[in-house]
Amino acid sequence: MRLVAFYPEFLRDFPTNRRYLVGVSGGRDSVALLHWLKTSGYDNVIVCHLNHQLRGRSAAADARFVEKLATKYDVDFELGCADVRALAAKGKKSLETAARDARYSFFARIVKRRRCHTIFLGHHADDLVETFLLNLFRGAGTTGLSAMREISTRQIDDADLTVVRPLLGVWRTEIDKYVREQGLKFREDASNRDLTPLRNRIRGRVIPYLEKTIRRNIRQSIWRTATIMAEEENFFETLLPDKLSALTALTVEPLRKMASALQRRMLHKWLRAGDVPDLTFDLVERVRGLLDLTKGVAKTNLPGNRHARRRAGKIFME
């Protein structure tokens, strides 16, 4: 099965004799990923599962299923729990954003304890397309439209994490076929059929409508566009400082001399390093507005009851 689009490079950059984390929800995508890793010789993986406490007994059953899966494959297992609904309300975030943030905080804790800095996740090509459209509708800039990347790095709670998505060039139908052929058992998440979340509406309504109306496979076109943008964003990343954090105060004058495109990317990277959620184009532009000394605006609101402020020639978060 062609499960990894960049298979030779993958084996070179991530040799099988090292230890890795792998995020497993219990759904077909992560179950297929774990099976592929094990059958490819990745014997020293640590299965990580977070119970989001959103679906009661079903969520607890998912955790038990994943734990049994880890036992079956004879690999280590890490279980975490988070009250995502309460975190969303406290941080004034969507459930999806709160769940994602909780997962990465969970991963960061394991990174620190296990001293293992690379995690494999089961996102696939359809996820990439959905994320592209989701960010487009939210008004994201090119960084958001580059959506997911096969390999990315991020700093979470002072932990450096390399996120690897080996299935990003693989379509859901291919994963379904792999699961059937290998006879893999997995857990169905009933919430995926709920059309209340925007992502589910994009998956179940928007994309099928566009394909029916335009009469072409738009998924391939969107995937290609997102992939090109990701490659370009990777290049621009090389032009920016490697280490940024929420504690870093940005000096205004050097930023003012940069081209607008570099300003946006610099500020986006800085805000992301500060764990600012829902980074839309408008949000970055509001922060970029602090560089205009003629307007007199020295403060702008950030999600989660935080602020970006300009004072004494520097921009900082508080």
Side-chain angles (χ1 to χ4, degrees):
M1 287 293 296
R2 186 194 59 82
L3 267 182
V4 179
F6 53 109
Y7 184 82
E9 293 83 1
F10 184 85
L11 290 180
R12 182 194 64 210
D13 296 336
F14 305 99
T16 58
N17 60 346
R18 293 182 186 172
R19 183 170 59 173
Y20 304 97
L21 309 178
V22 54
V24 181
S25 66
R28 72 185 70 202
D29 309 329
S30 59
V31 166
L33 173 62
L34 178 60
H35 181 270
W36 182 86
L37 288 170
K38 282 295 295 180
T39 56
S40 299
Y42 289 87
D43 296 320
N44 196 16
V45 297
I46 303 169
V47 170
C48 307
H49 177 85
L50 180 68
N51 183 343
H52 297 77
Q53 299 182 343
L54 290 172
R55 296 183 293 110
R57 293 181 179 178
S58 293
D62 290 347
R64 290 194 298 271
F65 172 81
V66 176
E67 184 174 15
K68 290 179 180 178
L69 200 59
T71 301
K72 173 185 174 182
Y73 289 135
D74 191 26
V75 296
D76 289 350
F77 176 66
E78 289 277 359
L79 174 64
C81 293
D83 188 343
V84 169
R85 202 175 300 278
L87 291 173
K90 181 179 179 180
K92 297 182 180 179
K93 306 174 183 177
S94 66
L95 278 179
E96 184 181 26
T97 299
R100 183 184 65 242
D101 292 346
R103 284 195 298 276
Y104 278 106
S105 293
F106 168 57
F107 297 151
R109 292 194 296 272
I110 300 172
V111 165
K112 292 177 182 178
R113 188 170 65 253
R114 295 278 194 157
R115 296 182 181 180
C116 178
H117 293 268
T118 301
I119 185 166
F120 297 135
L121 298 180
H123 298 119
H124 49 73
D126 292 273
D127 290 325
L128 178 63
V129 170
E130 293 160 10
T131 301
F132 178 95
L133 292 175
L134 193 66
N135 289 340
L136 176 67
F137 298 153
R138 285 174 174 168
T142 54
T143 303
L145 293 180
S146 67
M148 302 172 178
R149 305 183 196 181
E150 291 175 333
I151 302 172
S152 60
T153 58
R154 59 174 66 192
Q155 188 176 63
I156 306 149
D157 302 331
D158 298 323
D160 293 320
L161 183 63
T162 298
V163 180
V164 184
R165 299 179 173 93
L167 309 183
L168 213 54
V170 182
W171 297 96
R172 185 179 289 118
T173 53
E174 295 176 280
I175 294 175
D176 289 343
K177 181 180 178 182
Y178 181 84
V179 167
R180 288 195 305 270
E181 290 179 345
Q182 300 298 325
L184 303 181
K185 294 182 179 179
F186 57 90
R187 295 278 299 175
E188 286 280 10
D189 187 348
S191 64
N192 288 334
R193 295 190 293 271
D194 180 8
L195 294 180
T196 302
L198 180 56
R199 178 179 291 274
N200 289 1
R201 276 177 280 156
I202 289 174
R203 177 187 305 147
R205 294 278 181 84
V206 175
I207 294 177
Y209 173 78
L210 289 174
E211 288 182 329
K212 181 179 179 181
T213 304
I214 301 175
R215 296 181 180 178
R216 66 171 57 187
N217 184 359
I218 65 167
R219 297 170 200 255
Q220 288 281 357
S221 300
I222 295 174
W223 182 91
R224 185 166 55 250
T225 300
T227 300
I228 292 171
M229 285 188 168
E231 291 170 349
E232 293 181 354
E233 285 300 309
N234 286 337
F235 167 73
F236 277 108
E237 284 286 328
T238 65
L239 305 179
L240 302 177
D242 290 333
K243 296 292 184 181
L244 283 176
S245 73
L247 301 179
T248 304
L250 301 179
T251 306
V252 171
E253 277 309 309
L255 271 173
R256 283 168 53 84
K257 294 176 182 178
M258 291 182 181
S260 297
L262 279 178
Q263 287 178 353
R264 293 188 181 102
R265 285 169 170 83
M266 182 73 171
L267 292 172
H268 187 279
K269 186 173 184 177
W270 178 62
L271 292 167
R272 187 177 60 192
D275 292 329
V276 177
D278 300 327
L279 282 177
T280 64
F281 178 81
D282 289 341
L283 174 58
V284 174
E285 284 299 280
R286 289 207 314 272
V287 177
R288 198 167 75 90
L290 299 177
L291 301 178
D292 188 347
L293 305 181
T294 64
K295 292 184 177 180
V297 178
K299 174 183 173 182
T300 188
N301 295 333
L302 301 175
N305 296 319
R306 300 168 69 188
H307 307 88
R309 187 187 296 273
R310 187 191 71 239
R311 182 188 296 153
K314 294 183 180 298
I315 297 177
F316 56 92
M317 278 184 264
E318 58 182 10

